[in-house]
């Protein structure tokens, strides 16, 4: 080239001579091949999607480096050497400028190498640190897998179609690299398929549950050999299996076959093999126990709690170390209101917790906290679980249970639990136990349209479910359907004791219908019932009458209950002269004190009926006597005697069902003394220090377990101290708990009306005055002045003259 050759032609000639174009073409071809290979190999190695992104970034960063190296170096037969532009006379004129450019190219290449290596190192180390994080927040590094029902052909192992969803999900959950999606959520979406879903539907379900993978499988028995095949699919890719596993053996060794299958899936999906040896211990080694467990799970989903409990009981009788069956047995007993068996079963599950996955151990730990009355810890644990396992319908449901049943202990309404229950229904629309709770919430909102929809859905799912009668009664009384009410009352006389007791206890409370309670309680007092149940029926009637302000009629009911030889009338009737709003005379208080003094707890035979509704006071007679005497003496002004009983409670034995009860009752006596002395600050301080931890089922079986008097005192103390907003919360905590707490509703409504009145909220004040007047419309004469005063103020607020 001569000196007149244009500069750009010289430049391109030099680029060609140095092989830059050839390097670009070769680099592009190699990079394309590497990317294609990574796209095929990485998924089979179980590497995350971001690994492919790293390869693309590195390839793009490497391209300018390759071009710079091609410009600066020459490949010869003797090796690679740095280009020397002085070897060509035509380029000597360019010596200064190209040399500076080559130095610049080398510097750019060095920076690019540093950036590429640094970026790769950061990505790699970040991935390693995240993967190595054992915290619950590491869920993004754990692949979530949906196990769908297996196809069963030519075998009698039909129970394994749905059973594999439960078994394999739990076994895969052990390794930590895969996390099985909650089997209940999976079955809820797959149960309407008619047959096990295929790859296309499987991918839809996996995406619906936000899972990374899903498993389909088939079970075949041929020539006396059971074979199980499973295929693992990527929920974000085409419907082609990314890995397959096959295991087989003797039909009697189902668990061994499933263990083998789970191990293959774990190893082929990237598992390191460490946890694989532990998977056999997760459920049970017994095929017979497994069959019973799966039958129990099916019954529990159908709302057939007695059938479920019997199946789980058979499972643990075969394998006494079957921790998962023990845990689910405690859940079934809870629905049967057999709280003593709830504790025993949970304790057995805890004893064998080593056979549970980490996930199930967390569920058990939270359940034990809830059943021990530590609702604060239980709520924290369940929230932690759903944070790590957002599809865990069991954890969401139990969180809803805690919020629903312990709301009163924090002054909240049961509606605070609805969000958790809605999350359950989001994954499992037909979750029957959740529908029961949502129906109760809707009933308290007085929404007949939504209540009809929910109860219809429940009854369509299983009209023979144990709680079907409760759903029917709730709808009938809430909608005032007289014909259905008559049918419900007839059927209540034929249902099981757990269904009867739960229905009579819950419906009048959730429907806010005292008359409904009086009507239904007659089903407990019939001559065919055992003495304790008849006594309970009359005690219920007494408390419902007190809720209407009819204390004289309530006393008659307590006297009738006493004819059945029950201590229930004594302990539950003693509350009347202790109520802060009841105008008891000294003679009434002394008479009741004499009754309690004569009561000998050591002579009381424990109630053997399995329901906690009847046996709730079995272990606390010795605690209730000093508590009642302490309060009665305080009401009479005998503070020193009250303190003696408070001290006695401090040293008394802690009952299993409510370990903090002695301390709570002791502080309660002292707070009652403070109220009598007008020391509101001291009384509030005492009650704020009371732990008040009790199992929620106890709370709706006794006003002493729900600490009703103490909660009312707390509200009064807050009002006296000018903390009226807080007082409103605690005065509002009596309407959604139990028949026993209904006694406090009307007086609390009056106190709330007066607070709203002072705060200037005239509409809220009118509403609360009106509800109080309605409840006590037919109250005893000695209570009538309170009603008259409320009527006058309501008329003033409405701008009308009140009654003379």
């Amino acid at each position: 080239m001569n000196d007149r050759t244009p500069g750009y032609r010289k430049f391109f000639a030099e680029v060609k001579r140095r092989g830059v174009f050839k390097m670009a073409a070769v680099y592009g071809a190699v990079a394309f091949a590497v990317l294609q290979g990574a796209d095929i190999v990485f998924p089979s190695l179980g590497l995350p999607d971001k690994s492919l992104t790293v390869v693309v970034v590195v390839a793009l960063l490497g391209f300018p480096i390759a071009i710079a190296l091609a410009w600066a170096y020459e490949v010869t037969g003797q090796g690679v050497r740095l280009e020397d532009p002085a070897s060509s006379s035509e380029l000597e004129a360019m010596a200064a400028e190209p040399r500076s450019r080559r130095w610049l190219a080398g510097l750019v290449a060095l920076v690019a190498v540093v950036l590429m290596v640094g970026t790769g190192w950061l990505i790699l180390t970040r991935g390693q640190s995240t993967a190595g994080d054992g915290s619950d927040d590491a869920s993004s590094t754990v692949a979530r897998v949906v196990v769908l029902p297996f196809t069963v052909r030519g075998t009698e192992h039909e129970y394994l179609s749905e059973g594999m969803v439960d078994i394999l999900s739990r076994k895969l959950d052990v390794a930590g690299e895969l996390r099985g999606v909650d089997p209940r959520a999976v079955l809820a979406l797959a149960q309407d398929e008619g047959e096990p879903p295929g790859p296309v539907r499987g991918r839809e379900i996996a995406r619906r549950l936000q899972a990374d993978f899903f498993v389909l499988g088939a079970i075949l028995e041929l020539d006396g050999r059971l074979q199980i095949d499973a295929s693992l699919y990527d929920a974000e890719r085409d419907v082609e299996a990314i890995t397959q596993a096959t295991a087989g053996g003797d039909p009697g060794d189902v668990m061994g076959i499933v263990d083998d299958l789970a191990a293959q899936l774990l190893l082929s999906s990237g598992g390191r093999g460490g946890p694989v040896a532990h998977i056999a211990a997760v459920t049970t080694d017994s095929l017979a126990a497994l069959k019973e467990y799966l039958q129990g799970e099916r019954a529990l989903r159908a709302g057939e709690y007695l059938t479920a409990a019997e199946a789980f009981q058979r499972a643990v009788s075969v394998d006494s170390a079957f921790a998962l069956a023990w845990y689910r047995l405690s859940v079934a007993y809870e629905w049967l209101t057999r709280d003593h068996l709830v504790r025993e079963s949970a304790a057995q599950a805890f004893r064998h917790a080593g056979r549970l996955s980490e996930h199930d151990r967390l569920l058990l730990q939270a359940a034990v906290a809830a059943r021990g009355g530590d609702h604060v810890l239980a709520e924290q644990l369940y929230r932690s679980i759903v944070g790590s396992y957002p599809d865990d319908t069991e954890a969401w449901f139990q969180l809803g249970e805690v919020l629903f049943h312990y709301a009163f202990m924090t002054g909240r309404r049961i509606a605070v639990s609805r969000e958790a229950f809605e999350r359950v229904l989001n994954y499992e629309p037909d979750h029957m136990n959740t529908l029961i709770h949502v129906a109760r919430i809707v009933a308290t909102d007085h929404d007949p349209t939504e209540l009809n929809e929910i109860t219809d859905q429940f009854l369509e799912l299983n009209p023979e479910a144990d709680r079907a009668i409760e759903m029917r009664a709730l709808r009938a009384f809430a909608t005032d359907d007289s014909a259905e009410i008559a049918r419900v009352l007839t059927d209540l006389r034929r249902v099981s004791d757990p269904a009867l007791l739960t229905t009579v206890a819950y419906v009048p409370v959730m429907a806010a219908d005292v008359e409904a309670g009086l009507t239904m309680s007659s089903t407990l007092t019939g001559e065919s019932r055992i003495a304790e149940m008849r006594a309970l029926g009359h005690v219920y009637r007494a408390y419902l009458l007190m809720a209407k302000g009819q204390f004289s009629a309530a006393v008659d009911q307590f006297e009738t209950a006493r004819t059945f030889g029950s201590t229930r009338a004594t302990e539950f009737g003693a509350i009347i002269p202790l109520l802060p709003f009841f105008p008891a005379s000294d003679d009434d208080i002394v008479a009741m004190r004499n009754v309690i003094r004569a009561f000998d707890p050591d002579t009381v035979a424990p109630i053997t009926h399995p329901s906690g509704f009847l046996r709730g006071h079995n272990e606390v007679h010795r605690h209730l006597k000093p508590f009642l005497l302490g309060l009665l003496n305080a009401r009479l002004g005998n503070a020193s005697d009250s303190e003696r009983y408070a001290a006695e409670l401090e040293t008394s034995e802690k009952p299993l069902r409510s370990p903090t009860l002695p301390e709570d009752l002791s502080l309660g006596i002292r707070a009652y003394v403070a109220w009598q002395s007008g020391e509101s600050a001291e009384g509030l301080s005492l009650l704020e220090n009371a732990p008040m931890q009790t199992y929620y089922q106890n709370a709706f079986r006794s006003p002493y377990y729900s600490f009703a008097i103490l909660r009312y005192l707390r509200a009064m103390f807050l009002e006296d101290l000018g903390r009226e907003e807080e007082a409103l919360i605690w005065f509002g905590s009596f309407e959604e708990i139990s028949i026993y707490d209904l006694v406090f509703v009307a007086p609390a409504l009056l106190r709330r009306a007066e607070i709203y009145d002072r705060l200037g909220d005239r509409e809220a004040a009118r509403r609360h005055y009106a509800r109080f007047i309605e409840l006590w419309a037919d109250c005893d004469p000695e209570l009538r002045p309170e009603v008259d005063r409320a009527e006058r103020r309501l008329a003033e607020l409405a701008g009308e003259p009140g009654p003379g």
Side-chain angles (χ1 to χ4, degrees), residues 2-3 10 85-86 88-99:
N2 56 45
D3 293 337
K10 293 180 180 179
S88 172
S89 60
E90 293 183 345
L91 295 178
E92 286 180 356
M94 302 169 60
E97 185 175 351
R99 186 180 300 275

Side-chain angles (χ1 to χ4, degrees), residues 564-632:
F564 297 104
S566 171
T567 61
R568 190 174 304 275
T570 299
E571 291 176 336
F572 285 79
I575 199 172
I576 293 180
L578 298 173
L579 296 172
F581 47 82
F582 184 75
S585 66
D586 284 353
D587 289 342
D588 292 334
I589 300 170
V590 170
M592 183 58 71
R593 185 177 64 177
N594 291 336
V595 170
I596 301 301
R597 279 177 174 173
F599 170 61
D600 184 359
D602 294 330
T603 64
V604 179
I607 296 173
T608 58
H609 191 284
S611 176
F613 283 100
L614 298 177
R615 61 189 296 153
H617 280 184
N618 265 1
E619 59 177 346
V620 295
H621 300 301
R622 293 186 182 88
H623 302 86
L624 293 182
K625 180 174 181 176
F627 175 66
L628 293 171
L629 288 174
L631 265 56
L632 289 165

Side-chain angles (χ1 to χ4, degrees), residues 129-184:
S129 62
T130 305
D133 185 1
S135 69
D136 292 337
D137 296 332
S139 59
S140 60
T141 67
V142 178
R144 301 173 68 249
V145 57
V146 164
V147 179
L148 293 158
F150 276 41
T151 301
V152 181
R153 300 187 183 93
T155 176
E156 296 181 357
H157 292 276
E158 289 289 343
Y159 68 95
L160 282 176
S161 177
E162 292 185 0
M164 287 296 291
V165 180
D166 192 289
I167 306 167
L168 193 54
S169 294
R170 296 184 185 280
K171 288 184 177 289
L172 292 176
D173 207 32
V174 174
E177 310 241 355
L178 290 178
R179 175 172 293 171
V181 172
D182 187 348
R184 301 168 191 83

Side-chain angles (χ1 to χ4, degrees), residues 65-142:
I65 296 174
I67 297 302
L69 292 175
W71 177 270
Y73 290 87
E74 179 184 17
V75 180
T76 69
Q78 288 74 37
V80 179
R81 65 181 178 84
L82 184 66
E83 268 284 352
D84 183 7
S87 62
S88 172
S89 60
E90 293 183 345
L91 295 178
E92 286 180 356
M94 302 169 60
E97 185 175 351
R99 186 180 300 275
S100 63
R101 288 176 179 172
R102 286 196 296 276
W103 279 106
L104 180 60
L107 180 60
V108 171
L110 177 62
V111 172
V113 169
V114 172
L115 286 175
M116 181 177 67
V117 173
T119 300
W121 181 82
L122 286 173
I123 293 173
L124 178 61
T125 55
R126 181 179 178 183
Q128 289 174 340
S129 62
T130 305
D133 185 1
S135 69
D136 292 337
D137 296 332
S139 59
S140 60
T141 67
V142 178

Side-chain angles (χ1 to χ4, degrees), residues 44-67:
S44 65
L45 295 176
L47 297 177
D49 291 341
K50 69 179 182 181
S51 301
L52 192 60
T53 304
V54 172
V55 175
V56 173
V57 171
V58 171
L60 291 175
L61 290 174
F63 182 78
I65 296 174
I67 297 302

